[in-house]
Amino acid sequence: MTKNNDNHKCRELISVIVPVYNVVNYLEKCVNSIIVQTYKTLEIILVDDGSTDGSGKLCDSLELKDKRIHVIHQSNSGSTSARNAGLKNASGSLVGFVDSDDWIEPDMYEKLVEALHHDDADIAVGRQFINRENAEYVEAHRSVFKGCYHKREKILPHHIIYSDDYVSKGISPNLVDKLFKKELLLKYQSIVNPNTKYAEDDICVYSCILNANCVTFIDEAVYHYLQHEGSVTKKPDEDYFSRITLFYHQMKVVFEQQDEAELLIEKLKRYMLEFILRGINTSFGFDYGNIIPFYYPNQKKLIENGCKQIILYGAGNVGRDFYENFLQTGIIEVVLWVDKNSNEYKKSGYDVSSPNNIAQVQSYDAVVIAVENDSVAKQISNELHNMYGIEKHKILYSRPKKFIEELGT
């Protein structure tokens, strides 16, 4: 990086916008992680979106803690409105977002701004840590790794939503793991309908990605996404299908304006099938498991390996689908279902035990790991072998298939 770029970087103001709604137990950790950033030329805009749990008062007290913090109070209008309010008051030429129950690495913005200036990019993209009660791991690699991609190369449309083979996830649709030039962000955040309550990030992010002259990616996790108890079981949402329909129409308009419109719209159709399937399973508050499992285990392979009784490891989305599938078919018996976060799942009514209980099981053919992330599966496998003494040949993992993959594009 040239000396001129270094001087410019040090002067350039980043506006960090934090929409806040009823997160009194998480907000201070979030804001402190921004205050201690190694990149100091920041303003921190806290937008209290009509909180009722004391979060608004906490915003005001945090404002006294650092002169770079500014607070906006508004009546509850949703995340899109809160982001718009933050953008309207942003003084920086660069903008980032942090969700108020998450936190960031101390050098996140230093790394992103360095990448952005080094590559003369409009957007810099980092990776995320996934944080749960007793676990932290880096999100699975997406189909775009480290590097700088120019619009003229027409590479990025092949990595929107999914890779072209639909196996790998594409570019993250989240606002929070990125740094944007403000003029680009203003243009495309403005197209998001304020009534959009589902996947609103996607509309803005993919619009920016597809229309940026250059996007740069760093292969480092810099953002901590917290999955806490509230994300295990969601409340019924009878407006779910109208919400995803509104998203679809907005996203379709964006994609139709691109040279690669046909490819992008095919990917959008697959995306909508996933949304619809999730809605069938969860949005009406059914209490007897998924009607159609989103993920399913390879029972044929397990049977070929002589597995009649298994221990199932994992109670997230994949694990719950696997458990229901084993239960419904009755071909393979789950003698124990375990997860590090067993206490969290028990609160939601799932019969999940701690991995410490594995030692009490007298007979089983294999431990089946039910997660989507390969690196997490490897970490679990090592723990099962090193901490619980399970022989490696008894630990089984393969990437879970999605029901949607069998439907074609």
Side-chain angles (χ1 to χ4, degrees), residues 279-290:
I280 291 170
N281 285 329
T282 65
S283 66
F284 297 113
F286 296 132
D287 58 1
Y288 46 81
N290 287 352

Side-chain angles (χ1 to χ4, degrees), residues 136-155:
E136 174 181 282
Y137 57 89
V138 178
E139 67 167 348
H141 264 298
R142 292 178 175 269
S143 61
V144 177
F145 294 172
K146 182 177 180 181
C148 178
Y149 299 84
H150 292 86
K151 185 177 182 181
R152 63 178 180 273
E153 298 166 338
K154 298 186 177 181
I155 294 173

Side-chain angles (χ1 to χ4, degrees), residues 100-222:
S100 49
D101 50 358
D102 298 336
W103 68 96
I104 60 178
E105 286 290 288
D107 55 358
M108 171 171 159
Y109 284 118
E110 182 174 7
K111 286 179 176 176
L112 291 180
V113 80
E114 283 178 355
L116 188 130
H117 285 298
H118 181 271
D119 294 325
D120 192 23
D122 299 312
I123 307 169
V125 183
R127 295 181 66 197
Q128 296 183 27
F129 291 101
I130 308 299
N131 287 85
R132 304 216 44 196
E133 185 178 293
N134 297 311
E136 174 181 282
Y137 57 89
V138 178
E139 67 167 348
H141 264 298
R142 292 178 175 269
S143 61
V144 177
F145 294 172
K146 182 177 180 181
C148 178
Y149 299 84
H150 292 86
K151 185 177 182 181
R152 63 178 180 273
E153 298 166 338
K154 298 186 177 181
I155 294 173
L156 294 184
H158 296 277
H159 301 277
I160 294 294
I161 306 178
Y162 314 97
S163 59
D164 283 351
D165 61 8
Y166 292 89
V167 172
S168 300
K169 290 182 179 180
I171 300 164
S172 160
N174 306 119
L175 283 161
V176 293
D177 52 10
K178 300 173 178 66
L179 183 65
F180 299 85
K181 286 188 175 178
K182 185 169 73 173
E183 62 267 23
L184 180 71
L185 188 63
L186 280 169
K187 182 175 181 180
Y188 293 106
Q189 176 63 19
S190 67
I191 71 172
V192 182
N193 186 319
N195 294 319
T196 306
K197 305 296 182 185
Y198 200 90
E200 58 267 36
D201 278 23
D202 303 42
I203 300 164
C204 177
V205 168
Y206 288 144
S207 297
C208 288
I209 293 284
L210 290 168
N211 291 286
N213 290 320
C214 175
V215 183
T216 187
F217 296 78
I218 65 170
D219 190 19
E220 295 181 67
V222 289

Side-chain angles (χ1 to χ4, degrees), residues 238-289:
E238 294 183 359
D239 294 325
Y240 178 84
F241 290 103
S242 61
R243 295 181 196 278
I244 65 170
T245 300
L246 178 58
F247 159 77
Y248 171 76
H249 288 302
Q250 292 175 83
M251 199 76 262
K252 186 169 181 282
V253 169
V254 170
F255 286 170
E256 284 174 339
Q257 296 171 354
Q258 300 297 314
D259 292 340
E260 301 81 6
E262 185 176 350
L263 170 69
L264 292 166
I265 289 172
E266 283 303 311
K267 291 186 177 187
L268 179 60
K269 289 177 182 177
R270 168 68 71 84
Y271 205 31
M272 294 307 299
L273 284 174
E274 292 203 18
F275 284 155
I276 290 166
L277 181 55
R278 287 186 189 128
I280 291 170
N281 285 329
T282 65
S283 66
F284 297 113
F286 296 132
D287 58 1
Y288 46 81

Side-chain angles (χ1 to χ4, degrees), residues 18-19 39 41 45 126 137 154 160 168 212 214 325 371-372 385:
V18 184
Y39 187 92
T41 315
I45 303 174
Y137 57 89
K154 298 186 177 181
I160 294 294
S168 300
C214 175
N325 193 272
V371 297
E372 189 175 16
H385 178 67

Side-chain angles (χ1 to χ4, degrees), residues 274 277-278 281 290 292-296 321 401-403:
E274 292 203 18
L277 181 55
R278 287 186 189 128
N281 285 329
N290 287 352
I292 305 171
F294 197 77
Y295 302 93
Y296 60 95
D321 276 0
K401 279 193 171 184
K402 295 180 180 179
F403 173 82

